[in-house]
């Protein structure tokens, strides 16, 4: 079961990975955007880690909500509202439960995806974070419905997110700054899809141990 | 990287300390990184709020003052402000007549301003109307993507809508004027060099000495195409032709705006203005107003953009109205 402690360790692991990959994310954004995705996200996730540390609250919902609010109020750019909406919708979906089982976690992540779409209106193939997040949600739903435990389901979701991230390379961008480049956006990996792949792989690492079948 | 900075992390906050010290007529909210007119909010006047990533100075903070903006929300370098900043700006200029948000068309800016407006709506705050600028003809196939970027015309929208607000026109009137200006303006830019974002420490893209990027935005994004460096007369054509192809400019008087990207001296901008002016004369376009200088920049990028605006009588009158801001001032 994913309880508050598990969520807390996921979010701090994600923050650590963002910090470690800050330069990579910024370099990817320099190629097809404005060279700030790593700096933006790192600013937000480090602020969120401090906010979460001071948050004695013990439900997944409050932690996810603090994460979302902190990202909205500290990231800026496109990724602030998008990641913010992702976590705020996850918080809404988590409701008042003390812990989430595999179907509830999968439902929460899908709610997060819906939040990203509601805010950014991206579709499959637009070369955005959607292209990593949506296959991850599909894989997670599928694996959970087939009766896999959350740890295994999240490892399948990680593979799907990684594949989705890689699949952004040949895409022609239709959303975000990269779309201004037209044909020149082809051949570059999307920074937002890259950070989403970190989000899913850290979920797999942080949440698998906490699963009771 | 050689820059006049102390620590890349503090560039914006330390620069705002300088704005505060240099301009006693303005008020700086350092917590939210918002620059206000000293006398905001003005009862009965529509409040004008703009904002965006920093690094485009004097846009937007340099345009706060009489006859232009009431507040500018300053995001991190090249990163839109967050909703909290925009909300602080909105509340601080709400004089009861509503607030106009002037937003450049970038995904991040649009989403953060939208969230701030939703929050104002949900908490019974000021009535907010947003006008999005999208004048960059370099963005093709814009119907299928996120649309054109907001660039040079934003300066002209802020001046002209600012004059309408100063005349105590209603929120819907001021918004309508702002939309008209945006619809009648087109821009195109080119870069001779990349720019260096302080936090990144190195140029955003590599551009060989003998190449230029055509169709750039204002964030060091690569442009549409890379071509060999050419004489100014030819580079002027690369900017003016796509604009004239996009909108009919003959007939009305036109405001011609040659803008520096931050690293180009005024002597070159005037040389370019001459080339632009010649091309416009040849195309039968009558220039009745001009603006030459670095007003919407991309840090230390060398290069320029051209913006043309078809002026109707009302826009012309509002353009000529008095303005007193750090970066634009006349008639007062
Ligand atoms: N409309 C959208 N929907 C989903 N994701 C988007 C959208 N627009 C941009 N993105 C994502 O945001 C990322 C860029 O984030 P960031 O660099 O932080 O913001 P900005 O583009 O404002 O500088 C892109 O790589 C892309 O994945
Ligand atoms: Mg970016």
């Amino acid at each position: 079961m994913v309880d508050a402690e598990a969520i807390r360790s996921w979010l701090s692991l994600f923050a650590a990975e963002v910090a470690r990959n800050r330069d990579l994310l910024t370099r990817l954004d320099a190629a097809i955007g404005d060279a700030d995705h790593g700096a933006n996200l790192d600013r937000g996730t480090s602020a969120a880690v401090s906010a979460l540390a001071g948050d004695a609250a013990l439900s997944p919902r409050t932690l996810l909500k603090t994460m979302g609010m902190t990202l909205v109020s500290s990231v800026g750019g496109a990724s602030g509202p998008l990641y913010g909406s992702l976590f705020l919708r996850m918080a809404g979906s988590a409701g008042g439960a003390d812990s989430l089982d595999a179907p509830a976690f999968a439902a929460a992540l899908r709610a997060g995806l819906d939040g990203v779409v509601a805010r950014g209106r991206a579709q499959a193939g637009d070369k955005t974070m959607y292209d990593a997040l949506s296959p991850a949600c599909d894989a997670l739903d599928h694996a959970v419905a087939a009766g896999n435990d959350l740890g295994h389901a999240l490892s399948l979701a990680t593979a799907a997110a990684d594949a989705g991230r890689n699949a952004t390379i040949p895409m022609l961008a239709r959303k975000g700054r990269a779309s201004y480049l037209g044909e020149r956006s082809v051949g570059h990996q999307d920074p937002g899809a890259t950070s989403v792949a970190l989000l899913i792989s850290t979920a797999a690492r942080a949440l698998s141990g906490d699963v009771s079948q | 990287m050689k820059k006049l900075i102390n620590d890349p992390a503090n560039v914006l906050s330390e620069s705002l300390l300088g704005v505060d010290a240099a301009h006693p007529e303005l008020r700086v909210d350092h917590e939210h990184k918002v620059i206000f007119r000293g006398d905001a909010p003005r009862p009965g006047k529509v409040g004008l709020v703009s904002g965006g990533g920093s690094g485009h100075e004097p846009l937007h903070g340099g345009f706060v003052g009489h006859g232009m903006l009431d507040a500018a929300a300053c995001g991190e370098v090249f990163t839109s402000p967050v909703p909290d900043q925009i909300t602080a700006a909105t509340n601080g200029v709400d004089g009861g007549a509503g607030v106009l948000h002037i937003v450049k068309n970038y995904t991040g800016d649009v989403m953060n301003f939208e969230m701030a407006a939703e929050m104002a709506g949900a908490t019974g705050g000021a009535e907010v109307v947003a006008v999005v600028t999208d004048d960059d003809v370099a963005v093709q196939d814009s119907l299928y993507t996120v649309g054109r970027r907001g660039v040079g015309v934003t300066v002209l929208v802020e001046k002209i809508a600012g004059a309408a607000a100063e005349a105590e026109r209603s929120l819907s009137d001021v918004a309508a004027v702002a939309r008209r200006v945006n619809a009648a303006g087109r821009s195109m830019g080119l870069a001779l060099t990349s720019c260096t974002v302080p936090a990144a420490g190195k140029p955003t893209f590599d551009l060989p000495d003998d190449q230029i990027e055509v169709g750039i935005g204002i964030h060091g994004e690569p442009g549409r195409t890379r071509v060999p460096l050419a004489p100014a007369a030819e580079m002027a054509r690369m900017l003016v032709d796509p604009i004239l192809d996009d909108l009919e400019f003959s007939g009305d008087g036109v405001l011609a705006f040659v803008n520096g990207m931050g690293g180009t001296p005024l002597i070159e901008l005037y040389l370019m203005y001459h080339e632009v002016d010649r091309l416009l004369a040849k195309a039968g376009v009558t220039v009745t107003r001009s603006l030459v200088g670095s007003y919407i920049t991309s840090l230390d990028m060398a290069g320029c953009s051209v913006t043309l605006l078809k002026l109707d009588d009302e826009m012309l009158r509002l353009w000529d109205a008095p303005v007193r801001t750090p970066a634009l001032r006349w008639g007062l």
Side-chain angles (χ1 to χ4, degrees):
Chain A
M1 299 288 274
V2 178
D3 61 7
E5 270 328 294
I7 293 284
R8 203 191 292 273
S9 60
W10 171 35
L11 299 180
S12 49
L13 199 55
F14 175 53
E17 281 300 301
V18 167
R20 208 167 65 81
N21 289 280
R22 182 191 152 108
D23 290 347
L24 167 71
L25 296 173
T26 290
R27 216 163 46 240
L28 292 171
D29 197 30
I32 53 170
D34 59 347
D36 65 1
H37 186 57
N40 288 350
L41 208 52
D42 185 34
R43 184 171 57 248
T45 50
S46 355
V49 165
S50 323
L52 292 170
D55 196 339
L58 279 176
S59 79
R61 173 175 59 188
T62 42
L63 292 169
L64 290 164
K65 187 170 174 209
T66 299
M67 179 77 172
M69 295 296 279
T70 310
L71 295 183
V72 168
S73 62
S74 59
V75 176
S79 49
L82 291 167
Y83 267 103
S85 302
L86 191 161
F87 285 110
L88 290 173
R89 291 286 186 103
M90 282 193 82
S93 172
D98 285 338
S99 64
L100 309 175
D101 59 11
F105 185 81
L109 194 64
R110 174 146 318 263
L113 171 67
D114 292 345
V116 168
V117 172
R119 187 55 66 195
R121 292 175 280 274
Q123 297 176 350
D126 283 351
K127 197 180 183 101
T128 69
M129 55 193 279
Y130 178 96
D131 292 307
L133 190 54
S134 171
C137 285
D138 291 347
L140 186 61
D141 284 345
H142 196 79
V144 167
N148 290 285
D149 66 42
L150 186 59
H152 185 57
L154 279 169
S155 70
L156 295 173
T158 300
D162 289 354
R165 172 201 63 202
N166 295 344
T168 62
I169 296 174
M171 287 177 187
L172 179 80
R174 273 192 290 269
K175 283 281 181 317
R177 284 183 204 287
S179 68
Y180 303 132
L181 291 178
E183 290 291 338
R184 285 175 89 188
S185 66
V186 171
H188 298 278
Q189 184 172 307
D190 179 62
T194 307
S195 58
V196 161
L198 298 175
L199 180 73
I200 305 300
S201 66
T202 51
R205 279 162 61 196
L207 306 182
S208 55
D210 297 285
V211 170
S212 49
Q213 251 292 82
Chain B
M1 170 173 63
K2 261 191 201 166
K3 286 186 187 290
L4 303 173
I5 62 175
N6 296 309
D7 176 342
N10 301 334
V11 171
L12 174 57
S13 54
E14 294 182 10
S15 180
L16 287 174
L17 290 171
V19 170
D20 204 356
H23 295 287
E25 74 279 15
L26 303 177
R27 182 165 57 78
V28 180
D29 171 348
H30 293 282
E31 186 201 335
H32 291 105
K33 302 191 167 79
V34 178
I35 301 174
F36 288 101
R37 252 172 96 151
D39 59 356
R42 309 231 324 158
K45 177 188 169 303
V46 170
L48 251 64
V49 170
S50 192
S54 294
H56 308 304
E57 292 70 22
L59 189 90
H60 301 272
F63 300 134
V64 174
H66 180 97
M68 226 164 154
L69 298 177
D70 295 274
C74 310
E76 292 298 322
V77 171
F78 291 175
T79 300
S80 72
V82 301
D84 289 0
Q85 294 179 270
I86 300 163
T87 300
T90 304
N91 293 340
V93 305
D94 176 17
V99 175
L100 183 73
H101 285 174
I102 299 174
V103 186
K104 302 191 295 304
N105 190 32
Y106 298 95
T107 303
D109 293 66
V110 169
M111 290 193 302
N112 283 282
F113 271 91
E114 263 173 22
M115 286 186 107
E118 285 164 18
M119 280 148 74
T123 56
E127 186 190 347
V128 174
V129 172
V131 170
V132 177
T133 60
D134 56 353
D135 53 312
D136 189 352
V137 301
V139 180
Q140 290 154 4
D141 306 326
S142 52
L143 289 179
Y144 308 103
T145 60
V146 293
R148 291 176 163 174
R149 297 178 283 228
V151 286
V153 88
T154 314
V155 177
L156 312 181
V157 168
E158 290 177 2
K159 167 66 186 83
I160 292 172
E166 203 64 61
E168 309 221 329
R169 303 267 295 272
S170 71
L171 178 59
S172 59
D173 267 17
V174 177
V177 167
R179 290 202 181 94
R180 244 178 38 240
V181 174
N182 179 59
R186 296 288 187 279
S187 301
M188 179 81 178
L190 65 77
L192 305 178
T193 68
S194 179
C195 58
T196 300
V197 175
K202 48 184 189 309
T204 305
F205 56 86
D206 291 320
L207 191 54
D209 266 358
D210 56 351
Q211 307 256 298
I212 61 171
E213 283 271 346
V214 182
I216 47 132
I218 52 171
H219 301 91
E221 338 53 341
R224 293 295 296 206
T225 52
R226 186 169 284 200
V227 301
L229 178 66
E234 215 165 296
M235 290 194 280
R237 209 170 7 246
M238 295 175 199
L239 300 183
V240 169
D241 283 353
I243 294 177
L244 295 184
D245 286 345
D246 201 78
L247 191 68
E248 181 58 55
F249 278 92
S250 56
D252 302 278
V254 164
L255 187 161
F257 171 24
V258 170
N259 173 63
M261 300 307 295
T264 288
L266 202 48
I267 188 171
E268 292 174 32
L269 296 180
Y270 271 105
L271 190 156
M272 276 300 275
Y273 185 83
H274 169 64
E275 298 295 349
V276 168
D277 189 55
R278 284 207 312 193
L279 289 170
L280 293 177
K282 218 181 289 169
V285 174
T286 316
V287 177
T288 53
R289 292 293 182 276
S290 67
L291 184 66
V292 181
S294 296
Y295 292 103
I296 169 168
T297 61
S298 189
L299 292 170
D300 51 353
M301 174 180 275
C304 72
S305 62
V306 171
T307 300
L308 300 183
L309 171 65
K310 271 155 74 109
L311 289 163
D312 60 30
D313 288 345
E314 184 187 32
M315 287 187 224
L316 182 65
R317 215 171 43 247
L318 294 169
W319 175 259
D320 287 341
V323 60
R324 188 169 55 221
T325 69
L328 274 191
R329 52 175 71 204
W330 56 71
L332 271 175

